[in-house]
Structures are given as structure tokens and as C-alpha cells.
Amino acid sequence: MTRTVYVNGQYMPETEATVSIFDRGFLMADGVYEVTSVLDGKLLDFDGHLARLERSLAELDMDKPDQFDDLLEIHRELVRLNDIDEGMIYLQVTRGSSGDRDFVFPDTQTTRPTLVLFTQSKPGLADSPAAKTGIKVISIEDIRWGRRDIKTVQLLYPSMGKMMAKKAGADDAWMIEDGHVTEGTSNNAYIVKGGKIITRQLSNDILHGITRAAVLRFAREAQMEVEERPFTIDEAKEADEAFITSASTFVFPVVEIDGTKLGEGTPGPVARRLREIYLDESRKSAI
Ligand code: PDD
């Protein structure tokens, strides 16, 4: 099926959508993005994604796209036009194209940000087999830049990490810096020990996951203990459970780290429960 996508104010077939070869997103990875999930044709955590987008833009001194105030309507219209029941909406903003290549940022009076959105239909997203079997991760060095709190489109290393995992027969990679886990290639990382949920605290070292914020809030509301601090990969291997969160996976249990099985090598009760709560609560507040 040909998707209907959105580019700079217009809905059009994906086959007709184009962006300039001089776009700074293409030449310099000078862009930011958001991924918002859709369940029952509704958007999950939309306000959180919009707030993070605004923050990413501000941190990079990038103007908001001219259509910023219409973003909810654009998301909803794309869901409608593409008949999305379960899936994701991808949104990208770049600093635009000045019609040439230059390291200096273009004048914002004459060069406006590029805004692109498209849908990804994923029937069965909420009922993913990986949620039942759990995933395997490997550890790799974290060699990304120092502003991982900004959701930029510089995804080459995370993409390489995913390939390293695939090659090793695993599903994803957890990245390690100064002996401690930062996060997964495209998700936040957690371990559970003695009933306590442990995850790295927010800083410039990790993306401030929108799913993370919701899951930790639900965990605390359910009287689960949460500790926000760095943990090592050895500590993770000895944990009772581990899991990841992101907009595209919600909560996935991790059952193996660098070939070491966690517990019985099956999803643990805390990850299972958090996934259930997250899905229930997010469906209720979806818009
Ligand atoms: N990735 N950490 C990184 C490095 C990520 O890329 C993501 C999301 C997360 C989780 O954030 P959130 O809960 O807001 O989705 C953490 C998206 C899903 C992606 O790149 O496809």
C-alpha cells in the first residue's frame, strides 16, 4: 500500500515526497525526531513526545517548524488517512536547506526547518512475541557523542550496535560507558534486584525516554521501589530480571545478557506486570 506522508505542510503519496539534497538533515544529521506509538488508532504519550521535541529543538538552537501548533492534528490525520490501528508515527525536523553546504547555520528568516512525518503500520504491536519470550542483549562500548538527551537523527552507531547484536545472535545491544550501562541502542535499560527497579538517572548521557517516565510513574504508584543510579553489566547479569522500554516496544523483558541467562531465562514478574500496567494505563489516556 502506498502510504500518505506529510512534508512541509502537505499530505502526499510517499512516492511523490521529496526533500532537497542540500537539506542539513541529509548532509549533517542536523535534525531531531520523535516516534509516537499508536494503539486502537490513538496516540500514546503524545504530550510527552511533543514536549521532548520542543526541548530537542531548543537545545540545538533550531526553530520550531512553522506547523508546530498543528502537530497533533497532523498525527491524527496521518493515522486516519493510513488507517493505522497499531503502529508508529515517525516525525523528523531538520534545520532545512539553504541550497548549499555550509557548516554555519543558515539564516532562519530565509531557511525554514523541514518537517516530515510518516506512519508505520504494525499490526500486533501490543501483542508482540518478544514480550512473551523476552529478548537477548549483548554489551558494547558506548562511543556516541555527549548529548544523548537530544533526540537527534545521528543513529549510525546505534544502528551498528543493532548489527553487532544480530551478528552475535542477540536482539539488541546495551552500551557501556565508564563501566556502567547507559542505555540500549533505541531504548532505556533496567534491572530488577530483590524487587527493586534500578535504572540510570537522567542526564546528558541518555535519552529521557517518554516511556521510561510513564513506566517509573506507574511503578511508584503501584508501590514498587525504584532506584535511579548507574549499574554495571556484571550487576545486570546477576540481577533477578532486566527489561527495556521505548515507544516501539513498550516494555520488553531481557532474558539473556552477553550469553548469561537471567534467572530461569524467562520473562520475570516485574517486567510482565509493568508491561501490563503501561499498556492498560496508556490505552486509557491515549488521544
Ligand atoms: N527510540 N534511548 C534511545 C537511545 C532511544 O532511541 C529511545 C527511543 C529510547 C526510548 O525513548 P522513548 O521511550 O521516548 O521511545 C531510549 C525510538 C523508539 C526509535 O529510535 O525508534
Side-chain angles (χ1 to χ4, degrees):
M1 197 191 94
T2 306
R3 277 177 285 198
T4 300
V5 303
Y6 181 92
V7 185
N8 294 330
Q10 281 187 303
Y11 297 93
M12 60 182 78
E14 62 185 28
T15 44
E16 286 169 27
T18 56
V19 172
S20 166
I21 63 160
F22 299 113
D23 194 279
R24 288 179 62 93
F26 177 63
L27 294 180
M28 299 193 169
D30 189 359
V32 298
Y33 75 107
E34 282 297 330
V35 177
T36 303
S37 45
V38 177
L39 288 181
D40 316 318
K42 290 183 177 169
L43 304 161
L44 266 56
D45 288 328
F46 180 78
D47 291 346
H49 289 286
L50 195 70
R52 186 173 61 191
L53 173 66
E54 202 169 351
R55 179 180 181 276
S56 291
L57 291 167
E59 291 298 306
L60 294 177
D61 206 12
M62 199 184 293
D63 268 13
K64 286 185 197 170
D66 297 334
Q67 308 80 1
F68 188 86
D69 292 341
D70 304 330
L71 282 176
L72 174 57
E73 188 44 42
I74 297 167
H75 277 72
R76 284 176 159 163
E77 185 64 1
L78 283 177
V79 167
R80 196 184 67 76
L81 291 170
N82 294 285
D83 199 15
I84 305 295
D85 180 47
E86 294 194 355
M88 278 99 71
I89 312 283
Y90 178 86
L91 169 158
Q92 180 168 329
V93 182
T94 76
R95 208 181 301 270
S97 160
S98 66
D100 203 354
R101 179 175 183 268
D102 190 347
F103 281 81
V104 175
F105 291 174
D107 181 352
T108 54
Q109 295 288 322
T110 47
T111 301
R112 301 303 301 153
T114 300
L115 174 65
V116 169
L117 289 96
F118 58 82
T119 56
Q120 293 186 293
S121 179
K122 303 270 176 193
L125 183 67
D127 201 26
S128 163
K132 295 181 188 90
T133 57
I135 63 162
K136 300 175 184 175
V137 303
I138 58 165
S139 60
I140 61 173
E141 195 189 342
D142 196 337
I143 59 167
R144 297 173 300 161
W145 79 325
R147 289 303 307 273
R148 302 157 195 158
D149 56 309
I150 309 172
K151 199 165 172 59
T152 73
V153 295
Q154 303 173 76
L155 296 176
L156 181 55
Y157 187 64
S159 184
M160 289 169 76
K162 201 76 165 172
M163 294 310 294
M164 290 183 232
K166 236 177 131 165
K167 226 178 191 168
D171 304 290
D172 198 22
W174 278 9
M175 295 178 276
I176 315 282
E177 186 172 61
D178 298 331
H180 294 91
V181 174
T182 52
E183 57 189 334
T185 59
S186 57
N187 46 71
N188 291 115
Y190 309 72
I191 58 172
V192 181
K193 190 78 184 169
K196 190 192 287 177
I197 299 160
I198 301 162
T199 193
R200 195 180 178 102
Q201 72 279 12
L202 296 181
S203 70
N204 292 351
D205 300 337
I206 61 169
L207 187 73
H208 301 187
I210 302 306
T211 322
R212 176 190 184 281
V215 163
L216 292 186
R217 188 173 73 246
F218 298 143
R220 287 179 170 123
E221 281 169 12
Q223 313 300 326
M224 295 165 143
E225 205 183 332
V226 176
E227 194 180 348
E228 295 182 61
R229 65 158 173 87
F231 57 87
T232 66
I233 200 75
D234 286 338
E235 192 181 2
K237 285 179 196 166
E238 284 162 19
D240 302 326
E241 292 183 40
F243 63 93
I244 59 164
T245 65
S246 75
S248 50
T249 61
F250 309 124
V251 179
F252 272 180
V254 170
V255 293
E256 202 177 296
I257 301 174
D258 286 336
T260 302
K261 279 191 172 51
L262 299 194
E264 304 288 302
T266 53
V270 173
R272 274 209 306 264
R273 179 144 180 247
L274 285 175
R275 181 180 177 86
E276 235 173 72
I277 302 178
Y278 178 79
L279 284 173
D280 282 355
E281 293 298 322
S282 312
R283 275 186 204 274
K284 274 190 227 159
S285 58
I287 58 171

